[in-house]
Amino acid sequence: MSIDSSRDAVAGRGVGVGPGAGTPVLPAPSLRGRVTMQQVAAEAGVSISTVSKVINGRYGVSSETVDHVSRVIDRLGYEASLVARSLRNHRTNVIGVLVMDFEPFSTEVLKGVADAIHGSGYELIAYSAGGHVEAREGWERRSLSRLMGSLVDGAVLVTPTVTDVQADGPVVAVDPHTGPSRLPSVAADNLEGARLGVAHLLGLGHTRIGMITGRADLLSAQQREQGYREALAAAGLPVDETLMSSGGFEPELARSAARELLARPEPPTAVFAANDLSALATLEVAAELGLDVPGRLSVMGFDNIPESALADPSLTTVQQPIRRMGEEATTMLLSLIAGEELTEPHRTLATSAVVRGSTAPPRPA
Amino acid sequence: MSIDSSRDAVAGRGVGVGPGAGTPVLPAPSLRGRVTMQQVAAEAGVSISTVSKVINGRYGVSSETVDHVSRVIDRLGYEASLVARSLRNHRTNVIGVLVMDFEPFSTEVLKGVADAIHGSGYELIAYSAGGHVEAREGWERRSLSRLMGSLVDGAVLVTPTVTDVQADGPVVAVDPHTGPSRLPSVAADNLEGARLGVAHLLGLGHTRIGMITGRADLLSAQQREQGYREALAAAGLPVDETLMSSGGFEPELARSAARELLARPEPPTAVFAANDLSALATLEVAAELGLDVPGRLSVMGFDNIPESALADPSLTTVQQPIRRMGEEATTMLLSLIAGEELTEPHRTLATSAVVRGSTAPPRPA
DNA sequence: GTGAAAGCGCTAACAG
DNA sequence: CTGTTAGCGCTTTCAC
């Protein structure tokens, strides 16, 4: 029982032993390395193309051979290499989610994409260039180039800053920072969301509402600021520019901005931050200053990332339906891949206020 | 200015025009499809191998040529295909995170992996076979076979049910359901965690504590049940088997289990669920039944997925350091890839109770 | 210093 | 019904 089958199993190209050349030998030799079609073919005593046909269910193979080869495949635990197959085929049956980094927002989108893809028969690959600093600039184009047209049939691009990419295949952007472009996109209603947020603050009775704005070059930030201004205007309140400060969507900058605002002679009684990260930073600053939230200061965010519920006090914020945005984008993408025309290339989803513990009526003076 | 450069740019193999054959022509022709090295070579008037050498910084190319080719690469926006490169090279510089599905737990692990990978120079690919039902069985082996040894240099396997996989490359399992095997692994201390959780409930004064158990075939589920039994025993309380029901780690099943438990003549005053998803389901059922939580019923989960903080009431739970588990696994994986020996192939991380709003002392009868 | 050619694992013509 | 052949886009000897 010590017949050495490895000679055949490992042999070079196109061994022509022929099927039924003998009784099956030792189970799964698998010397080392991944099992390749080559090895299956050798082990089964057929040609590589026959194995390929069996795997892909192509016609023109006797059911005997199919059975035999299938058995060998099972025994060897063979599974086609995604890479080799992708290189050969134009179609891969894989959807890509391209992100700059895996953080709360993008992973939430990812969940939405996964939800939408269930039962579609597609596989899902999420890719991040690794977040190294050099890779931050233009990651969208780079990632698209590396995966699109070979590994994936289409891609969802999460919060791209650059949207004038020329992808060779279907691409849908989620929350593009520069606004709708030629790329189909899904975004939340930032303008209305900001209005809602500020309206909540106004409804509590606040009249001195400061804002920590986002990155000036991003449309989402501009829209949130615009919503703030409109809500104030609608309430007949003037916009006090000294009550606005830029947080650039970044915790560090936001902290400075919050300090500045709260150090004013007449500080605001409420702060509306352009995103949750900035709001959370404001909470920290308030704690530093010994300012009670929400007793002395109300703080409102935007995004509703999971972390905002964990803050102390928990953050009142404007919620974006992040997960649903991922679902929408995927639905659009699948249509695109199916060759359909998009009736509505830019979808905007509604936002809503989530009231938690960081807002309350202003303390009577 | 209408010189048609597409003839060269599109021409077949190895155009031998030679560098400096004329002034640069029209910008980025890019007729269609992704830009390939072929096109760069043609456009630059050099051979494919020269382009390859330039890209990979190999010696033996004049600095003139390097400059020229680099410029063409930039202009065309060329980026090497991950797939083609993977097929050729053994090393890809990509780490894979293989999951059955992208749900709260696995995405949390993913964040941890991403954290650990920052600055390592690796790229990250997360892969899910799509969660179709047929794919559920043996997804670990299948995914590993499809990606390993070609697309990725190593992989983190999240909550695999099968761990006797023979991967051809470094693999680390996170929270393997069947317990430590030959595969290096990182897991939380399920036994101790369950003890802690039940101890919290006992500390509040509960004596009728039900449990919604997990999937009977999984070690993690068994350990959590074991912890529950031990904690009860330690408090001198008998285990009432009628107060236990299986939720299989799945929301749907958990809902039924919760209904069953709460419909008992003498229902429990507290429920310990084997995972947060089951606890969340229990919360829903309690709401349906008009049962006040935590007034009438205390509910405790296990995992501390982000969603648990968002529930109403927020869920008291046993926290696993999920993100850190991803980090640990990645550190181990990188060592493995670097060819180092693991001093500690199986790491167990501590758990802790996170008290939120879903637990309170039992209402005096 | 540069290019031709082989081949990674796979599929799709096309012959036999 | 089965095998041979030609690549997919890339890297790497090895000639020139």
Side-chain angles (χ1 to χ4, degrees):
Chain A
M1 277 316 249
S2 64
I3 305 165
D4 183 5
S5 75
S6 63
R7 189 165 37 88
D8 281 347
V10 162
R13 48 283 246 359
V15 186
V17 182
T23 46
V25 242
L26 301 172
S30 125
L31 287 193
R32 64 218 191 77
R34 75 184 313 284
V35 184
T36 150
M37 219 159 89
Q38 183 78 246
Q39 295 170 40
V40 174
E43 181 74 10
V46 297
S47 78
I48 293 186
S49 41
T50 299
V51 177
S52 173
K53 282 172 193 156
V54 170
I55 289 173
N56 296 291
R58 296 280 177 276
Y59 289 118
V61 187
S62 75
S63 57
E64 269 182 6
T65 310
V66 171
D67 279 5
H68 177 229
V69 172
S70 302
R71 243 188 305 279
V72 173
I73 288 175
D74 282 353
R75 182 154 52 83
L76 261 42
Y78 169 79
E79 199 72 28
S81 156
L82 186 60
V83 164
R85 184 174 273 181
S86 299
L87 188 57
R88 192 62 235 273
N89 294 350
H90 206 93
R91 191 66 186 271
T92 61
N93 236 42
V94 178
I95 294 292
V97 175
L98 276 33
V99 307
M100 162 134 128
D101 194 12
F102 291 105
E103 25 69 31
F105 188 91
S106 60
T107 48
E108 213 57 27
V109 173
L110 183 55
K111 291 180 202 168
V113 174
D115 288 346
I117 229 163
H118 281 161
S120 71
Y122 278 94
E123 303 186 348
L124 192 49
I125 273 195
Y127 174 81
S128 157
H132 11 130
V133 185
E134 336 88 71
R136 293 180 101 83
E137 195 70 18
W139 63 270
E140 308 91 340
R141 220 188 37 65
R142 200 157 32 239
S143 296
L144 234 23
S145 293
R146 282 171 74 69
L147 301 195
M148 203 64 165
S150 43
L151 228 204
V152 303
D153 291 341
V156 172
L157 215 48
V158 182
T159 53
T161 303
V162 179
T163 51
D164 61 342
V165 290
Q166 45 135 29
D168 112 87
V171 176
V172 177
V174 169
D175 192 26
H177 274 326
T178 48
S181 65
R182 303 201 316 254
L183 230 49
S185 68
V186 179
D189 192 340
N190 289 303
L191 185 65
E192 177 64 11
R195 279 201 211 107
L196 281 174
V198 176
H200 165 68
L201 261 14
L202 289 166
L204 288 173
H206 290 275
T207 52
R208 289 190 63 74
I209 302 174
M211 174 165 189
I212 296 183
T213 60
R215 259 180 60 184
D217 57 325
L218 302 185
L219 183 71
S220 54
Q222 293 163 17
Q223 291 176 325
R224 291 173 196 183
E225 182 177 332
Q226 179 66 15
Y228 164 81
R229 290 175 185 277
E230 289 184 15
L232 253 34
L237 252 33
V239 174
D240 182 347
E241 303 284 343
T242 69
L243 252 36
M244 300 181 69
S245 186
S246 174
F249 279 154
E250 291 209 38
E252 207 42 67
L253 285 171
R255 250 186 293 272
S256 313
R259 280 198 197 91
E260 194 188 318
L261 243 43
L262 298 177
R264 290 248 187 286
E266 275 192 278
T269 61
V271 168
F272 175 59
N275 69 347
D276 279 356
L277 250 24
S278 300
L280 260 14
T282 305
L283 248 32
E284 288 175 32
V285 171
E288 273 173 25
L289 300 177
L291 213 54
D292 180 50
V293 176
R296 273 293 197 179
L297 177 74
S298 284
V299 176
M300 177 139 206
F302 200 116
D303 275 352
N304 195 24
I305 56 176
E307 281 75 356
S308 64
L310 297 172
D312 181 32
S314 58
L315 190 68
T316 295
T317 188
V318 176
Q319 114 132 359
Q320 299 193 59
I322 311 183
R323 206 160 159 161
R324 264 205 37 233
M325 287 160 70
E327 287 180 50
E328 283 295 341
T330 307
T331 309
M332 289 165 69
L333 185 60
L334 293 179
S335 298
L336 244 24
I337 291 177
E340 296 164 22
E341 198 76 27
L342 248 36
T343 53
E344 200 184 348
H346 298 292
R347 291 186 54 73
T348 303
L349 270 44
T351 49
S352 58
V354 177
V355 180
R356 295 207 187 90
S358 66
T359 51
R363 197 158 59 188
Chain B
M1 276 317 244
S2 64
I3 304 166
D4 183 5
S5 75
S6 63
R7 190 166 35 89
D8 281 347
V10 162
R13 47 287 235 8
V15 185
V17 182
T23 47
V25 243
L26 301 174
S30 128
L31 288 192
R32 65 219 190 74
R34 75 185 311 287
V35 184
T36 150
M37 220 159 90
Q38 181 81 244
Q39 295 171 38
V40 174
E43 181 75 9
V46 297
S47 77
I48 293 186
S49 36
T50 299
V51 176
S52 173
K53 282 170 193 156
V54 169
I55 288 173
N56 297 290
R58 298 280 177 274
Y59 289 117
V61 187
S62 75
S63 57
E64 268 182 5
T65 310
V66 172
D67 280 5
H68 177 230
V69 172
S70 302
R71 243 188 305 280
V72 174
I73 289 175
D74 282 353
R75 182 154 53 82
L76 261 42
Y78 170 79
E79 200 72 29
S81 156
L82 186 60
V83 165
R85 183 174 274 182
S86 298
L87 189 56
R88 191 64 234 271
N89 295 349
H90 204 93
R91 191 67 187 271
T92 60
N93 236 42
V94 178
I95 294 292
V97 176
L98 276 33
V99 307
M100 161 136 128
D101 193 12
F102 290 105
E103 24 70 31
F105 187 90
S106 60
T107 48
E108 213 57 25
V109 172
L110 184 54
K111 291 180 201 167
V113 174
D115 288 345
I117 229 162
H118 281 160
S120 71
Y122 278 93
E123 304 185 348
L124 193 50
I125 273 195
Y127 174 81
S128 157
H132 11 130
V133 185
E134 337 87 70
R136 294 179 101 84
E137 196 71 18
W139 63 270
E140 310 90 339
R141 220 187 38 65
R142 199 157 32 239
S143 297
L144 234 23
S145 293
R146 283 170 74 70
L147 303 194
M148 203 65 166
S150 43
L151 228 205
V152 303
D153 290 341
V156 172
L157 215 46
V158 182
T159 54
T161 303
V162 179
T163 50
D164 60 343
V165 290
Q166 46 136 26
D168 111 88
V171 177
V172 177
V174 169
D175 193 28
H177 275 326
T178 49
S181 65
R182 302 201 318 254
L183 230 49
S185 68
V186 178
D189 192 340
N190 289 302
L191 186 64
E192 177 63 14
R195 280 200 210 107
L196 282 173
V198 176
H200 164 69
L201 260 14
L202 289 166
L204 288 173
H206 291 275
T207 52
R208 287 190 66 73
I209 302 175
M211 173 164 189
I212 295 183
T213 59
R215 260 181 59 184
D217 57 326
L218 303 184
L219 183 72
S220 54
Q222 293 164 16
Q223 290 176 326
R224 291 174 196 182
E225 182 176 331
Q226 179 67 16
Y228 163 82
R229 290 174 185 277
E230 289 184 15
L232 252 33
L237 251 34
V239 174
D240 182 347
E241 303 285 344
T242 69
L243 252 35
M244 302 182 68
S245 186
S246 174
F249 281 154
E250 290 208 39
E252 206 44 66
L253 285 171
R255 249 186 295 273
S256 314
R259 280 198 198 93
E260 194 189 319
L261 243 42
L262 298 178
R264 289 249 187 285
E266 275 191 278
T269 61
V271 169
F272 175 57
N275 70 345
D276 279 356
L277 249 24
S278 300
L280 260 15
T282 305
L283 247 33
E284 288 175 33
V285 171
E288 273 173 25
L289 300 178
L291 214 54
D292 180 50
V293 175
R296 272 294 197 179
L297 177 74
S298 283
V299 177
M300 177 139 207
F302 200 116
D303 276 352
N304 195 23
I305 56 178
E307 280 75 356
S308 63
L310 297 171
D312 181 32
S314 58
L315 190 68
T316 295
T317 188
V318 177
Q319 114 131 1
Q320 298 194 61
I322 311 184
R323 211 161 155 157
R324 264 204 38 235
M325 287 159 71
E327 287 180 51
E328 282 296 340
T330 308
T331 309
M332 288 164 70
L333 186 60
L334 293 180
S335 299
L336 245 23
I337 292 177
E340 296 164 21
E341 198 76 27
L342 249 34
T343 53
E344 200 184 348
H346 298 292
R347 292 185 55 74
T348 303
L349 270 45
T351 49
S352 59
V354 177
V355 179
R356 296 208 186 89
S358 66
T359 51
R363 194 155 66 182

